Amino acid sequence: MKDKIKLLQGDEAVVEGAIAAGARFFAGYPITPASEIAEGLAEKLPIYGGKFIQMEDELASMACVIGASLSGLKSITATSGPGFSLKQENLGLGMMIEVPCVVVNVQRVGPSTGLPTSPSQGDVMQAKWGTHGDHPVIALAPSSVKETYELTVNAFNFAERFRTPVILLLDEIVGHMREKVVLPDEEDIEIWNRKKPEVGPENFNPYEETDGLVPPMPNYGEGYRYHTTGLFHDRTGFPRGTNEDAKNLMDRLMAKIEGNMDIISLYEEDIRDDDEIIVLAYGSTMRSAINAINQAREAGIKAGWIKLKTIWPFPVDYIKEVGRRAKALIIPELNRGQIIKEVRENVFGNAEVHGINKYDGTLIKPEEILNMIQEVK
Amino acid sequence: MGYKIDEYLRQDKLPHIWCPGCGHGTIMGNLIRGIDKAKIDPDKTVVVSGIGCSGRASGYMNFDTLHTTHGRAIAFATGIKLANPELNVIVITGDGDGTAIGGNHLIHGARRNIDLTVVLMNNHIYGMTSGQFSPMTPTGDNATTAPYGNIDQNFDLADLTKASGASFIARGTAYNTRQLIEIFAEGLLHTGFSFIEAISQCPVNYGRRNGLSSAVDMLKCQRDSSVNIRKWDSLSKEEKKGKFPTGVLYKEDKREYTEMYQEIIDSVQEEAK
Ligand code: SF4
C-alpha cells in the first residue's frame, strides 16, 4: 500500500485516473486551466510506454486523439472553453464514426477569452450541443478531486464500452483544488476495453450490430482493411447516400447511449422520506449545496440533495420521479441557468424550480443556497 | 512492368465519382502502382483523406482507410502513426484541403518530420464545391468567387514544405505517369515527412473557365509547362517563366519524430528500472 495516499489537484487526478484506466496517448494544446493535465501526461505517459504530443492547435489535438484510438491506444485530450469550441467539428466525427476517446474540458468563464482563471459551468450545453447535428453525448462532471479520479476511469470505460467520445467536464475549482485522495489498488479498478471482432477480415463489417448496438472495433494494421467516413454510412462503413441509412445510423447511435442509462447515468442522493426541498447540483457547486443542506437540516428544515455525476444523458425518468415527490427544487449553477432547463422540462410544474446563478467568476456560497432554502420552505 | 493494381482497389466501389477527364483517378492509379513498386505491406498501410474531390480517393483504396474532416487529414494521420509507428501512413489531400483550411497541419507535420507520405492532388481549384478559387489558383485566373480575376498569390508548395522542415519533397503531374509512379515509390520508402505535389486537372470547374475546355488541353499544358529537375537548373530565368520543375526536388536524411519519441520512452523506462 505504498504511494496510495496522495495530495492531488483535480487536474492531476485526471492524469492518475487516465493512466490507471489504461490511457496511453495524449494530444493537446496549452490552455488555462487545463495545462496541468498535459504537463502531467507528458511526464507520465512515456514511463508506461505511452505517447504524448503537443499539437499545433486544438483542432489537430482532437483529430490526433481520434487517429491514435483507431490505431488501438486509449486516448485523451484536455482543454478549456475556447479550445472546446475549436474541437467540436472533429468531436462530431468521433461520435459519427464511433471512436472511443476522452475529452476533458476544465471550464472557465466565457464566452471568448472571458475570465481564463475563474470557475464556470458555462459549457454544460456546449457539451451537449457543441457539434452540429443530432448526436449522442456522454458527459460526466466531478465535484471533488477523488471523484475526478473515479470519473476519469469511468469516462474511459464508457468510451471503450460504448465506442464513443466521452466528455469530462471539470470546472476551474475542481481542476485546481488540492485534496487528499486515497487511490485504489490496481486490482480494485474495473477496466473495460473495446470489443474486438470475432470474425476474420472476409466476414467483417465495421458497423454491423453483431452483439448489441456497439459494433466491435479492430485496430488499424490488423488486416481488416476497413473504411470509415464522416458521411452517413451503412454497416459496411461506406456511404450510400440513402435517407434510410441516415436514419438507421442516427437511431443506433442514440439508442446505444439512451438504452444504457442504467449503466451510464451516475448520480447520488441524500433525500429522506419527508424531505420537501431538494438541491440538485453538479461539479464544484455541489460542495456548497451539501454544506447548505447540512445547515438547513440542523435548523430543522426538511431538505435533501441530488448530485449529478453524469450530466448527459440527462436522467429524465429519475428527475420526473423526484419532481413528483418534492415540493421545490433548487438548482445552483455557475452559469445563467443551463441544467435548470432540463429539470424544468421534466418536472413539468409538479414542483417549484428555482435557480441560483453566478456567472461573474465567483462561487456560489453555502449561505446563498441556505437563504434560498429558507425562502422557499 | 506489370503492376498488381486490382488487389489494392475496392473493385465493388468502382466506377469512381470523379468527372470524365479528371486527373484524380490517374493520380490514384499511379499511387497504387507506387505502393506496389515500393512493396509496402498493404495490411500495415493506412490511407487518410480530407474533404473535397481528392478526399474520395480513400474509399476506393483497399487498405485501412479514413475519410476525415476538411483539412485535418494530416492531424489524424499524426495520431495514427505516433500510436503505431509500424504503420505506413499515406495522406491524400487537395490544394484547398491541404493548403487553405489545413495549411497549419501541413507546415507542422513537415516541421516534426513525422513519417507520413502526403500526396497533395493540386487541381488549382475547389472542384467539389464547383469552382471557387483556392490558394493554388494562379493569379489572374477566373473562378466562381473570382469573377473579375483572382488577385490572390499562390504558394510555392515545394518552398513552403522545405522551409517547414519536410525531408522529402517532390512534384509530378497526372500527365507524366512513369515519373509519378517513381516519385510515389521513393516517397513511400523515405523515412520522414514526404510531401508530393501531384498536379491534377479539373476540366469541369477550372479548365472550362480558363480557356482549357478539355482534359486533353489540360494534359498538354501539364506536359508543356513541366521540366524535369535534372534540366531545370540549366534553364535561364526567361525560360523558366510559366514553367515548374518536377521530380524529386529535395531529399534529406533527418531524424524522424516517432523514432525520437521512442528514444524518450526507452531512456525514461531505462531510468525507471
Ligand atoms: S470537379 Fe474537377 S476535380 Fe472534382 S472530380 Fe470533377 S474534374 Fe475532378
Side-chain angles (χ1 to χ4, degrees), chain A residues 100-275:
Chain A
C101 58
V102 173
V103 179
V104 186
N105 173 2
V106 188
Q107 297 165 94
R108 59 192 237 186
V109 184
S112 190
T113 314
L115 295 170
T117 56
S118 300
S120 163
Q121 296 176 317
D123 301 346
V124 166
M125 281 298 169
Q126 188 181 200
K128 182 157 171 69
W129 294 118
T131 199
H132 58 284
D134 288 311
H135 49 269
V137 177
I138 300 176
L140 312 178
S143 66
S144 68
V145 174
K146 180 160 188 288
E147 241 170 60
T148 303
Y149 178 89
E150 293 164 354
L151 291 187
T152 303
V153 175
N154 277 320
F156 276 100
N157 284 345
F158 290 162
E160 293 285 319
R161 195 167 171 182
F162 301 109
R163 247 192 103 164
T164 192
V166 172
I167 297 161
L168 190 60
L169 275 183
L170 274 63
D171 53 60
E172 192 274 342
I173 301 174
V174 172
H176 279 165
M177 158 176 81
R178 287 189 186 276
E179 286 182 308
K180 189 180 99 175
V181 192
V182 184
L183 299 182
D185 282 330
E186 226 174 89
E187 54 274 19
D188 295 335
I189 304 171
E190 191 190 26
I191 303 285
W192 283 80
N193 295 315
R194 64 193 70 173
K195 211 165 36 171
K196 302 293 283 287
E198 281 165 10
V199 297
E202 327 67 55
N203 301 315
F204 177 66
N205 280 309
Y207 294 98
E208 190 153 53
E209 295 172 35
T210 41
D211 166 26
L213 295 169
V214 184
M217 180 180 173
N219 298 337
Y220 279 171
E222 290 182 337
Y224 283 86
R225 300 210 216 168
Y226 71 102
H227 185 58
T228 296
T229 173
L231 290 161
F232 273 104
H233 43 270
D234 65 9
R235 69 197 174 92
T236 67
F238 286 93
R240 289 192 303 180
T242 72
N243 307 105
E244 189 197 352
D245 283 350
K247 182 178 187 311
N248 288 346
L249 177 54
M250 180 52 65
D251 286 347
R252 182 174 63 75
L253 291 179
M254 299 311 290
K256 75 174 179 180
I257 306 301
E258 286 166 356
N260 285 297
M261 287 293 281
D262 53 330
I263 299 164
I264 299 167
S265 194
L266 306 173
Y267 53 83
E268 287 172 24
E269 61 165 47
D270 179 355
I271 304 173
R272 301 167 305 186
D273 284 346
D274 56 350
D275 281 342

Side-chain angles (χ1 to χ4, degrees), chain B residues 169-192:
Chain B
I169 298 161
R171 185 186 288 123
T173 60
Y175 169 77
N176 193 340
T177 290
R178 274 240 306 273
Q179 182 193 42
L180 198 54
I181 296 170
E182 295 293 328
I183 288 173
F184 284 142
E186 196 175 337
L188 285 163
L189 292 173
H190 175 80
T191 304

Side-chain angles (χ1 to χ4, degrees), chain A residues 45-70:
Chain A
L45 277 168
I47 300 173
Y48 294 86
K51 315 280 173 75
F52 169 94
I53 187 168
Q54 183 171 309
M55 293 300 284
E56 53 272 21
D57 59 35
E58 297 276 3
L59 300 86
S61 309
M62 190 66 230
C64 199
V65 154
I66 291 174
S69 183
L70 286 161

